[in-house]
Amino acid sequence: MATHRNSRSPLVINIARLGRRPGSMMTFQETVPSPARIGLELAAIPEGAPLELDLRIESVSEGALVTGTMSAPTTGECARCLTPVTGDVEIDLTELFAYPDSATEATTDADEVGHVVNDSVDLEQPVIDAVGLALPFSPLCGPDCQGLCPDCGIPMATAEPGHHHEKIDPRWAKLSSMLETDDK
């Protein structure tokens, strides 16, 4: 059921067949490509990844109420060891899109609620906002990730057991040269 495509974004859904009678309802179940990279610096939904939309769009007195879920695969890297990580994200959506000339549209700022434009609703910004809140700010490859060695930079997960580097505190380095190294 291709009920969108009024715009270049696959997250713009045409709701013309919904009508404006409160109580009218339509479902939208489709997999669309991600229009852009959506997420945070270390974890995101890549551009072109499949976004699975399972939505219910209802006509209410002031606009169109969109509820449902969106799920997609994620990619990124571990915040501690920079190993590539993959996963999935699922978000719940509940968004009101005000009809043109409705009291809601007249009494709210442009960025407070979405708006029905040319019988379409644009879910891109609500999806971006919800994904940003759902993804971990610092993803880890595992809960016990030890990260990278601070001296040589190799991942501690692949380092030999007991990996360490002999370091002398620079404040005491001069004294170490005064120690005798003879075994008497």
Side-chain angles (χ1 to χ4, degrees), residues 36-56:
R37 183 179 186 278
I38 300 173
L40 307 171
E41 190 68 32
L42 293 177
I45 299 169
E47 183 174 358
L51 304 177
E52 293 181 29
L53 300 169
D54 185 7
L55 305 172
R56 178 178 166 152

Side-chain angles (χ1 to χ4, degrees), residues 167-181:
K167 291 193 299 187
I168 298 175
D169 188 326
R171 297 170 292 181
W172 300 100
K174 185 79 171 173
L175 292 176
S176 68
S177 67
M178 296 178 174
L179 290 176
E180 290 184 346
T181 56

Side-chain angles (χ1 to χ4, degrees), residues 52-134:
E52 293 181 29
L53 300 169
D54 185 7
L55 305 172
R56 178 178 166 152
I57 305 167
E58 299 173 76
S59 181
V60 294
S61 61
E62 291 297 311
L65 179 65
V66 179
T67 57
T69 60
M70 188 282 308
S71 58
T74 60
T75 61
E77 54 188 27
C78 177
R80 291 184 188 158
C81 69
L82 305 178
T83 301
V85 293
T86 59
D88 293 298
V89 65
E90 182 171 315
I91 59 168
D92 293 321
L93 291 171
T94 303
E95 289 292 323
L96 175 66
F97 292 87
Y99 287 133
D101 303 323
S102 68
T104 300
E105 182 184 54
T107 59
T108 58
D109 291 333
D111 61 348
E112 285 184 85
V113 297
H115 298 277
V116 176
V117 178
N118 297 327
D119 288 326
S120 296
V121 294
D122 187 353
L123 294 174
E124 190 166 344
Q125 193 60 51
V127 166
I128 289 170
D129 294 345
V131 167
L133 293 173

